[in-house]
Amino acid sequence: MNIQEKKIIETIDSLTDDMIEFAIRLVAEPSTLGHETCAVTVMKKELDRMGFSTSLVPLDRGKLAGHPGFAPVPWSLENRNNLIGILPAESAGGNSALFNGHLDVVSAGNPDFWTRDPFSPTVIDGWLYGRGSGDMKSGIAAMVYGSYAVKKAGFGLCAPLTIEGVIEEECSGNGAIACLAEGYDAKAVLIPEPFGPTILTDQLGVLWFKIKLSGRPAHVQKASSGINAIEKCYTLIDSLRHLEVRLNESDIPAAYTGMEHPINLNIGVIEGGDWPSTVPSEAQFHARLSFFPEMSYERICSLIEKNIRLAAGKDPWLRDNPPVVEFYGFRSEGHSLSRDLPAFKVLDDCHRSLTKEEAKSYVSTCTTDLRAFHRFGSGQPTCYGPVAENIHGIDERVHLESVINVARAYALFIARWCRLAD
Ligand SMILES: [Zn+2]
């Protein structure tokens, strides 16, 4: 590390309390689907205070509808915004960078299962607890403070630096798409998802769908005359489990060879019926399924439809009353990238300067907003982030030392990739 880089790292170290306090303020906001504004406001205030040039990018259904990456969703997009913060270049000769983090969090589930309230962040033994602490508000704090440290240390940049706080990462990816559609892009894109200080090279495709089916209502006295829509769901779920097995066994790409069960089906929601003593006439379930990078979204949709059609064909009732498959939300294809990309090499260099070790590669079995930048952006995108546990689970937590390390690596990356102006 040269003198300028050392000064930047020292500046980060002087800001760690502020950075953690910012992460805590973000975690305290219950920014679940449709309620993200509270967290967007907290982040905007912080970026404004730091001197970033900020603006909001709305989820505009009219504008997004024509974008090939837009995922149709049944809920409202009204008054829901992404946040952009920019540090403009002071001179030329560097490479542009963009840090993207999502401000939306998944539901905490039943708060009674948590040791403490999920939206009352608490620090214990170097870990910050709370919904979104790992996924991924601490990562956002790291990217914001890593960027701010360069500015506060007195350095300008030789290329613009963009910070994005997006929404809908956990359900559709429409936030990142909206920002790309507005032209926010860069030569390198880093996302501090909580997979640890690794360089993500591969991620799976993920899609959501729901299946609706009807039965025949009857009083339980004559239950045999009714057709139980909820129980008919079992048949279809069972057929999807068989598809999951087949997907795990065929055309496995090299990156996923030897990995136990990379493709996962999750039945996330099941609804149906309205009375304990009535045979339910309607039911539906919602599912998430992943698929390997080589497969297209259209292909996996047709496999699901065919699977359901064949399963329904074996059941006399479902054959005459076919279930309806509807795709919504995630429609994300997977991708694989080489470790040799210049941005990844610089990031690895920064990691080595700080830890004396090479950053490991990370092969992901889920999706992230990387897919938007890979498919529709022009830069080299990867994830490099803090260490977290129980994300989407109970007592989610993030290791604070790892958050500080990400801020250091991001700041060093800015110095070496965007380059510092004289
Ligand atoms: Zn995440």
Side-chain angles (χ1 to χ4, degrees):
M1 271 192 274
N2 61 32
I3 294 172
Q4 294 170 317
E5 291 172 351
K6 280 186 185 150
K7 188 172 177 198
I8 290 169
I9 299 297
E10 280 165 21
T11 309
I12 290 198
D13 292 348
S14 72
L15 290 169
T16 53
D17 286 353
D18 293 351
M19 174 166 51
I20 292 164
E21 196 261 335
F22 174 48
I24 287 172
R25 269 184 285 135
L26 285 175
V27 177
E29 300 297 341
S31 50
T32 50
L33 176 63
H35 307 282
E36 306 91 347
T37 305
C38 52
V40 173
T41 304
V42 169
M43 184 172 172
K44 185 171 185 305
K45 263 189 199 161
E46 196 77 346
L47 290 178
D48 285 336
R49 185 184 68 75
M50 292 171 163
F52 285 78
S53 156
T54 60
S55 55
L56 296 175
V57 176
L59 291 186
D60 182 328
R61 199 181 284 270
K63 269 191 192 171
L64 282 171
H67 194 286
F70 175 61
V73 289
W75 50 79
S76 171
L77 301 183
E78 289 292 305
N79 300 318
R80 296 178 55 224
N81 295 292
N82 304 281
L83 173 66
I84 299 287
I86 292 180
L87 283 182
E90 285 189 6
S91 61
N95 302 294
S96 57
L98 186 153
F99 298 148
N100 163 297
H102 65 85
L103 287 162
D104 56 320
V105 297
V106 296
S107 141
N110 184 346
D112 292 346
F113 291 169
W114 287 64
T115 309
R116 287 159 224 91
D117 180 73
F119 296 106
S120 300
T122 317
V123 176
I124 299 170
D125 295 335
W127 292 82
L128 170 62
Y129 288 79
R131 169 59 82 233
S133 58
D135 190 11
M136 55 174 290
K137 289 172 168 174
S138 297
I140 288 180
M143 73 188 200
V144 166
Y145 271 80
S147 306
Y148 176 55
V150 179
K151 181 175 183 285
K152 191 163 195 291
F155 300 109
L157 301 177
C158 295
L161 172 65
T162 305
I163 296 234
E164 276 183 13
V166 299
I167 61 174
E168 288 224 356
E169 192 274 350
E170 297 285 8
C171 55
S172 67
N174 286 335
I177 290 290
C179 296
L180 273 162
E182 282 298 307
Y184 295 106
D185 195 9
K187 281 189 184 171
V189 176
L190 299 186
I191 303 184
E193 285 284 2
F195 306 139
T198 54
I199 294 177
L200 189 150
T201 51
D202 307 79
Q203 69 175 14
L204 293 178
V206 167
L207 87 166
W208 279 9
F209 57 96
K210 72 173 180 185
I211 298 185
K212 205 172 174 181
L213 40 79
S214 45
R216 185 166 57 211
H219 190 282
V220 283
Q221 261 183 333
K222 290 190 174 171
S224 58
S225 69
I227 301 288
N228 189 315
I230 292 175
E231 292 187 26
K232 287 293 174 195
C233 288
Y234 302 170
T235 311
L236 303 184
I237 291 171
D238 193 44
S239 79
L240 288 169
R241 286 281 169 219
H242 287 292
L243 174 62
E244 180 191 24
V245 170
R246 289 201 301 282
L247 290 172
N248 271 301
E249 287 173 349
S250 48
D251 303 323
I252 305 168
Y256 291 91
T257 311
M259 189 182 282
E260 201 186 328
H261 212 276
I263 300 294
N264 287 294
L265 167 74
N266 185 58
I267 308 300
V269 178
I270 186 158
E271 302 159 321
D274 59 6
W275 199 250
S277 299
T278 299
V279 176
S281 60
E282 280 186 327
Q284 61 178 3
F285 62 92
H286 302 232
R288 171 267 192 205
L289 180 65
S290 50
F291 51 103
F292 286 128
E294 278 75 3
M295 192 177 280
S296 70
Y297 174 69
E298 288 72 22
R299 172 85 182 129
I300 189 71
C301 289
S302 74
L303 284 177
I304 291 168
E305 281 172 331
K306 185 177 165 200
N307 203 69
I308 294 300
R309 206 168 48 241
L310 289 175
K314 291 179 193 154
D315 179 290
W317 172 262
L318 292 177
R319 190 167 52 231
D320 295 338
N321 301 273
V324 178
V325 185
E326 188 187 318
F327 299 96
Y328 76 103
F330 281 128
R331 44 178 305 160
S332 313
E333 290 175 343
H335 70 260
S336 299
L337 287 171
S338 157
R339 268 294 287 251
D340 291 334
L341 294 175
F344 297 4
K345 283 187 167 171
V346 170
L347 180 59
D348 194 19
D349 235 31
C350 298
H351 180 86
R352 204 178 302 111
S353 293
L354 292 165
T355 65
K356 312 282 177 261
E357 288 171 8
E358 193 177 334
K360 292 191 176 82
S361 295
Y362 184 72
V363 175
S364 169
T365 54
C366 60
T367 188
T368 69
D369 273 336
L370 277 186
R371 149 250 322 134
F373 295 98
H374 175 71
R375 259 313 281 287
F376 306 108
S378 60
Q380 300 155 33
T382 191
C383 290
Y384 179 97
V387 175
E389 291 179 356
N390 306 331
I391 60 171
H392 291 219
I394 302 301
D395 290 343
E396 174 177 351
R397 65 178 192 168
V398 68
H399 194 239
L400 289 172
E401 188 61 35
S402 76
V403 177
I404 296 164
N405 288 336
V406 171
R408 290 183 182 128
Y410 276 26
L412 216 47
F413 182 83
I414 295 167
R416 294 180 186 178
W417 178 260
C418 302
R419 300 210 187 103
L420 304 176
D422 292 329

